[in-house]
Amino acid sequence: MSPTPADPAHLLRLVTNAVDAVARADADDFAAAGTALAGFDADQARIVLGWVLRQTLEEQHPDGLDADDVRDAVTTTAGTATWFTELDPRILVVVLTAALGEHPDPEEIPRLGHALVLQHSVLLVHELVTAGAIPLRRRIDAALAEVRRAETMEMP
């Protein structure tokens, strides 16, 4: 039986495969992983990856995050992902700020494809999460639980 498009276990496998491709600096596998993530359910993938990034940043910076912290995350990620030819530090900034709840005006940035945004999200997840103490799987499971919780809450 093939996984359903929004199957959480399938999302976990897709993200894990993408993070593994980053760890190996394998551009071909990473390109395929970005396409697979975008074909999954790009919005749900963005929400889950954004939640993982936000929680990781909040744990790594319990006294608050400032512009220097964001700059460090972008610089470090960009420095370790030089093998990714589509790397754009501006997209890393967009991903980080969106994960923190600040969404730029769509007219201020070029229209970005789902795969490209998800790939930049995965680059950041690899850089930030693998340096931490909590394994990626636990972070994704927590993000999925948060998404499910938010979906069941009624809006006022």
Side-chain angles (χ1 to χ4, degrees):
M1 185 167 120
S2 64
T4 60
D7 176 14
H10 186 57
L11 177 60
L12 176 63
R13 282 190 302 277
L14 291 172
V15 171
T16 301
N17 289 342
V19 170
D20 289 347
V22 172
R24 294 188 316 274
D26 186 324
D28 292 336
D29 281 358
F30 189 57
T35 300
L37 270 172
F40 169 78
D41 177 337
D43 289 334
Q44 185 177 9
R46 278 186 186 189
I47 290 167
V48 168
L49 290 169
W51 194 92
V52 167
L53 287 170
R54 184 179 64 250
Q55 289 305 113
T56 302
L57 287 166
E58 288 176 356
E59 289 169 12
Q60 290 176 352
H61 304 279
D63 295 329
L65 194 68
D66 62 22
D68 289 337
D69 298 322
V70 172
R71 186 178 310 110
D72 289 346
V74 169
T75 302
T76 302
T77 301
T80 59
T82 56
W83 54 268
F84 180 49
T85 59
E86 295 183 63
L87 177 68
D88 185 340
R90 296 172 301 175
I91 299 174
L92 294 173
V93 171
V94 168
V95 168
L96 280 173
T97 56
L100 296 168
E102 293 297 323
H103 301 281
D105 183 348
E107 293 180 14
E108 292 179 14
I109 57 172
R111 190 79 175 128
L112 304 171
H114 286 305
L116 191 59
V117 171
L118 291 169
Q119 285 173 311
H120 282 75
S121 299
V122 169
L123 291 171
L124 286 161
V125 165
H126 173 266
E127 193 62 40
L128 297 172
V129 173
T130 58
I134 299 174
L136 177 61
R137 180 185 179 102
R138 279 196 23 218
R139 290 201 179 274
I140 293 173
D141 286 343
L144 289 166
E146 181 63 23
V147 168
R148 283 191 300 274
R149 185 194 65 76
E151 288 173 347
T152 60
M153 293 183 64
E154 286 188 36
M155 298 302 289

